[in-house]
Amino acid sequence: MGFLDISNLSKSFGATQVVKDFNLSVEKGEFISFLGPSGCGKTTTLRMVAGFEVPSAGTIRIDGRDVVRLRPNQRNIGMVFQSYALFPNLTVADNVGFGLRVAGVPRAGRASRVAEMLAIVGLADFGARYPFQLSGGQQQRVALARALAVRPQVLLLDEPLSALDAKIRVSLREEIRSIQRKLGITTIYVTHDQEEALSMSDRIVVMNNGVADQVAPPFEIYNRPTTRFVASFVGTLNLIEAEVADAAAGRLRLGPDLVDLGRPLPDNRRVTLALRPEALSLAPHGGRDLALAGEIVEVHFLGSVIRIRVQVGDARLSLDTFNSPDSPPPAVGAPATVFLNARDLMVLAD
Ligand code: ATP
């Protein structure tokens, strides 16, 4: 049994089931992300853990205690919302100390805990300010300090960085992760941003249509997706249709080439092969074992990276090259050969 255990959790609004038989066991101190497209049920699942939503079925245990019938303030959780939800008429210090005051912590104990929390989020000198005197990023740090001040057993964050601009998002996500590690607090983080989930999490729960499609560490989610949805939602994916020549021998026909995958294939006539952009190159680095002839159809200069799309038969393949000040990007319309290794081809089950 984990520190936070969610079993057979379901939620319906009227006739619509938005969370379906959700199971998850979270270890103490683990950082878990719920990742998925808008409407897949991430927030609803989080809100059931927080106690803002009543499950239609299932159990939620925190540290062995069934919390489903407890109110949010009885669950020993801290929550951070996208909208910060600070009290505008209270100072930063009073915002952070709010939960402690409600819990009846005496003034002196409150003041030292507030100071400790503000130091942790890098706002030691901001206690006397009001929320409107802070930037969005600073307000979200105050919200984090407020959630942590009551020393919750579980920290829940619902898209906490969505309202912030790109640069602040990156620095704040690193900061949240480092604070979470330092405090060793069990955390669930809801996001639709795959880069956030990949960079922050111990494990990611990829949600699709109310179902946890795959639960695994970021490296595995990215490199060994178990469903077509996970493969295409997380990261960029190239898809190539191929004809199965010999399923048992793992041989397939890719355009004019016969390719040996060296592992058995599903017994279909055709399969979809998936490939990350980084598995493709325009040069045969280290003796890649497959070469596909095509034509460059798009070139996007992104700065340090150049994303190139090459039309190979019916497939349009994306790959990245690094910028080099000495050689301009290739031109649209130029012929190109795409090199890859057969072992990097993922075979997607339909
Ligand atoms: P987003 O990233 O857009 O917040 P999400 O994955 O968090 O998406 P949820 O907010 O959990 O998704 O919503 C899941 C589904 O449940 C959506 O179709 C939504 O419209 C529906 N839903 C959520 N709350 C309610 C409610 N109170 N009444 C009816 N339907 C609801």
Side-chain angles (χ1 to χ4, degrees):
M1 192 188 267
F3 185 70
L4 165 63
D5 263 304
I6 304 176
S7 309
N8 307 110
L9 193 68
S10 295
K11 177 70 182 176
S12 298
F13 293 108
T16 316
Q17 198 178 9
V18 298
V19 177
K20 300 166 190 164
D21 205 21
F22 184 97
N23 290 284
L24 180 69
S25 186
V26 184
E27 297 301 319
K28 194 165 186 184
E30 206 177 2
F31 191 111
I32 296 278
S33 292
F34 291 173
L35 173 68
S38 183
C40 71
K42 318 179 283 291
T43 296
T44 304
T45 306
L46 194 79
R47 286 172 59 81
M48 287 193 277
V49 177
F52 298 124
E53 211 71 78
V54 181
S56 306
T59 60
I60 301 167
R61 288 178 178 278
I62 299 176
D63 201 8
R65 180 172 71 138
D66 183 353
V67 298
V68 163
R69 268 164 211 84
L70 300 181
R71 287 199 299 275
N73 61 0
Q74 300 171 314
R75 293 189 182 199
N76 212 354
I77 49 130
M79 180 105 187
V80 178
F81 303 90
Q82 179 184 337
S83 59
Y84 324 138
L86 298 178
F87 304 111
N89 54 327
L90 297 185
T91 62
V92 164
D94 287 343
N95 264 284
V96 174
F98 185 82
L100 300 169
R101 205 174 69 191
V102 171
V105 176
R107 183 182 292 268
R110 247 170 29 220
S112 67
R113 184 87 62 83
V114 167
E116 180 196 343
M117 289 301 144
L118 285 177
I120 285 177
V121 299
L123 292 176
D125 299 329
F126 289 70
R129 291 210 197 177
Y130 284 87
F132 77 89
Q133 296 170 309
L134 302 178
S135 70
Q138 289 167 336
Q139 290 186 54
Q140 198 54 304
R141 286 166 197 231
V142 175
L144 180 63
R146 182 179 62 180
L148 292 170
V150 293
R151 299 210 200 286
Q153 286 183 295
V154 176
L155 177 65
L156 306 174
L157 304 107
D158 190 0
E159 309 238 11
L161 306 180
S162 298
L164 301 169
D165 66 49
K167 266 227 159 87
I168 305 281
R169 288 178 74 126
V170 172
S171 67
L172 208 46
R173 82 183 181 210
E174 288 166 7
E175 210 173 310
I176 289 174
R177 179 56 162 146
S178 107
I179 292 169
Q180 183 273 338
R181 275 215 176 96
K182 190 152 61 183
L183 301 179
I185 185 162
T186 310
T187 300
I188 301 181
Y189 187 98
V190 164
T191 180
H192 61 265
D193 181 328
Q194 36 158 314
E195 202 179 285
E196 241 168 64
L198 289 171
S199 68
M200 296 176 87
S201 316
D202 291 314
R203 284 187 299 156
I204 301 174
V205 178
V206 183
M207 292 187 68
N208 178 24
N209 210 357
V211 173
D213 246 34
Q214 187 172 0
V215 183
F219 183 84
E220 216 169 297
I221 293 278
Y222 187 82
N223 290 300
R224 287 184 262 288
T226 53
T227 70
R228 183 184 279 258
F229 174 79
V230 174
S232 55
F233 185 73
V234 182
T236 300
L237 198 68
N238 292 303
L239 298 176
I240 308 173
E241 299 294 327
E243 215 177 288
V244 177
D246 183 340
R251 188 165 305 140
L252 42 84
R253 191 174 296 285
L254 200 60
D257 299 307
L258 266 184
V259 177
D260 267 317
L261 280 194
R263 54 204 142 101
L265 290 162
D267 213 4
N268 303 351
R269 242 170 46 79
R270 301 184 67 79
V271 287
T272 305
L273 304 170
L275 203 59
R276 297 292 184 195
E278 58 269 32
L280 297 172
S281 64
L282 293 178
H285 301 303
R288 299 205 169 187
D289 54 20
L290 273 173
L292 307 173
E295 181 189 316
I296 293 179
V297 287
E298 287 176 51
V299 175
H300 300 281
F301 185 72
L302 304 173
S304 70
V305 164
I306 304 161
R307 173 142 293 192
I308 295 170
R309 298 213 162 85
V310 182
Q311 191 74 37
V312 175
D314 294 337
R316 182 163 290 202
L317 305 179
S318 290
L319 59 94
D320 297 332
T321 62
F322 282 112
N323 172 51
S324 152
D326 303 323
S327 56
V332 169
T337 305
V338 176
F339 295 91
L340 60 130
N341 285 317
R343 65 159 189 274
D344 291 331
L345 291 164
M346 297 183 262
V347 179
L348 295 183
D350 281 309

